[in-house]
Amino acid sequence: VRANAAAGRILRGSDLMAGRATVRSLCGDFNQALGDEIWDVIGGGAERQPDDTDFAAADGGWIAIRRTIRPAGASGESRGALLIIEDATEQRRMRSLLEKTMSPGVARSWLAAPREELGGELREATILFADIRGFTSLAESLGPHAVVDLLNRYFTYMADVIGAEGGTIDKFVGDGILALFGVPTSHGDDADRAVAAARDMLRALSLLNAEPGFPQLKIGIGIATGPVIAGRIGSPDRMNYTVIGNAANLAARIEGVCKSYGCPILACDETVRRLRRPATTRLIDIVFVEGQETRTPIHEIFVETSGTDAPWLTPFAAGVSAYLAGEFATAQLHFAEAGAIKADDPITRVLVQRCRELERQRPSDWTGAWKLREK
């Protein structure tokens, strides 16, 4: 019935302004879905809220638009529809550009939020840090081109896994990955998402390692939950959305601890306490990580859920309780029972050796927390 000049400019090549447009002519073969929505609203259907779509223009090109469809017509009149369109071409282009340097979630938040938002806020988040084992020596043997190809392929797999769980990749640090769950958008189950991502990262790595000619990579993953300061940080010419806080540091430290215990995934106590989905975990130690004076209980996250009734986990848990209480001889008996059932468990071997040393030293100041030196 009527169209303003802006509609004619946005939907270039259409006959809107000539007064000859109909729903059929506007929404031909490639725009049929839009036509169906308009007719649904005219027929009494619900208003269509703003949504992004692509419009096939009469000149053969595609136009990125954001469309809203509202019912129109005074009371007693036949119902019509008001189609509101916004040219989203520039926003789409900017989003595509931003997503090349930051995660899609941050890019969307950056474009949608006022400039003062994302500028700095205290948030609860779960941080995941992953690192490839022995990558320096591997890189020296491969050569520069092979190293870049290897990392790009590895990062592609890991980015897909992290993104599938709603995580945001803060940055790639050499061969390491720092991923955020809960910022800039909280899902309410971010600890579960981080743990699920970590487990899927190990599964994805198994697929990569199975490819002919691909080096057999091993990774360690540390996960920590807590308050962080999140925002855009940097210089006026270059900024990055990132986080600062103990949880970020702790995730990196816990990843390093994986080397000492010979396991791929470790998480702090706070992360495990917040889990809602079933996951097999076990408390393996309480430690002072390098650079921190707070006791940190650490838990192994099993890649495959074997059930908490696994027969060797019960004596292992009893051994950890005795070890933390300073009953080192008793702890060794429980660990021996666990080791008899599962002889290939590296954590059991580490704790048995430690109990022997502590029993020999008999420290009078034992607090149940072991001080680690790994970074």
Side-chain angles (χ1 to χ4, degrees):
V1 177
R2 286 185 298 275
N4 64 9
R9 289 194 302 270
I10 295 172
L11 304 182
R12 60 181 183 269
S14 71
D15 53 4
L16 275 175
M17 306 312 296
R20 299 189 303 272
T22 64
V23 174
R24 178 177 293 178
S25 68
L26 187 67
C27 303
D29 293 338
F30 297 108
N31 299 314
Q32 186 176 353
L34 177 61
D36 291 344
E37 290 182 323
I38 294 172
W39 281 118
D40 183 69
V41 173
I42 291 174
E47 172 181 331
R48 296 300 197 274
Q49 297 299 318
D51 192 19
D52 292 336
T53 187
D54 290 312
F55 183 85
D59 63 3
W62 289 91
I63 307 167
I65 65 170
R66 167 160 285 203
R67 66 99 187 100
T68 306
I69 309 172
R70 296 175 181 167
S75 177
E77 297 179 358
S78 297
R79 188 176 190 182
L82 172 64
L83 172 63
I84 303 170
I85 53 176
E86 177 186 356
D87 188 347
T89 304
E90 181 63 15
Q91 187 181 46
R92 182 83 61 86
R93 187 188 71 81
M94 285 298 298
R95 191 165 114 187
S96 177
L97 179 63
L98 288 172
E99 286 180 355
K100 289 180 171 64
T101 58
M102 61 182 67
S103 76
V106 174
R108 286 192 296 269
S109 298
W110 196 311
L111 289 170
R115 188 165 180 83
E116 62 272 12
E117 294 186 23
L118 300 181
E121 55 183 341
L122 187 65
R123 298 281 297 274
E124 286 288 325
T126 297
I127 313 299
L128 180 153
F129 188 81
D131 194 57
I132 299 176
R133 294 284 172 260
F135 187 76
T136 300
S137 58
L138 176 63
E140 291 173 351
S141 65
L142 288 177
H145 292 294
V147 167
V148 171
D149 290 342
L150 170 66
L151 283 179
N152 286 341
R153 186 154 178 75
Y154 165 75
F155 286 147
T156 298
Y157 268 64
M158 298 304 127
D160 286 345
V161 167
I162 291 168
E165 287 295 337
T168 295
I169 293 181
D170 180 309
K171 59 177 69 73
F172 298 114
V173 188
D175 58 300
I177 301 174
L178 180 62
L180 318 177
F181 294 81
V183 290
T185 302
S186 174
H187 298 89
D189 60 346
D190 298 297
D192 289 287
R193 289 171 177 267
V195 167
R199 297 169 72 184
D200 285 342
M201 287 170 72
L202 268 296
R203 296 181 182 117
L205 185 65
S206 296
L207 295 177
L208 269 174
N209 285 337
E211 294 184 0
F214 194 86
Q216 297 299 295
L217 299 183
K218 293 184 179 180
I219 62 174
I221 302 174
I223 307 173
T225 301
V228 295
I229 298 172
R232 294 180 290 195
I233 298 174
S235 70
D237 296 327
R238 183 177 179 85
M239 303 189 78
N240 182 43
Y241 184 87
T242 188
V243 296
I244 300 172
N246 180 65
N249 295 331
L250 185 58
R253 295 290 187 262
I254 291 176
E255 181 278 320
V257 172
C258 290
K259 303 172 189 176
S260 299
Y261 294 89
C263 59
I265 309 173
L266 289 176
C268 76
D269 202 47
E270 185 63 24
T271 298
V272 173
R273 284 210 305 264
R274 297 194 185 196
L275 294 180
R276 301 175 185 175
R277 307 178 200 168
T280 302
T281 68
R282 59 169 168 168
L283 174 67
I284 66 167
D285 209 346
I286 297 176
V287 300
F288 291 107
V289 298
E290 180 68 17
Q292 297 192 11
E293 297 301 324
T294 304
R295 292 161 51 99
T296 302
I298 51 175
H299 302 253
E300 181 184 16
I301 308 292
F302 289 82
V303 178
E304 303 300 336
T305 300
S306 57
T308 55
D309 59 343
W312 64 277
L313 288 178
T314 299
F316 178 85
V320 171
S321 296
Y323 154 73
L324 296 177
E327 301 169 359
F328 305 121
T330 302
Q332 290 180 69
L333 294 176
H334 291 302
F335 287 140
E337 183 182 352
I341 302 171
K342 188 172 177 62
D344 61 346
D345 179 40
I347 297 176
T348 299
R349 294 197 295 268
V350 168
L351 293 180
V352 166
Q353 181 61 34
R354 188 177 300 166
C355 283
R356 289 172 180 166
E357 294 177 7
L358 290 170
E359 187 179 21
R360 184 172 61 254
Q361 296 171 5
R362 297 188 178 277
S364 58
D365 58 347
W366 175 249
T367 62
W370 183 261
K371 190 162 186 176
L372 291 165
R373 299 294 181 186
E374 292 81 359
K375 290 187 178 181

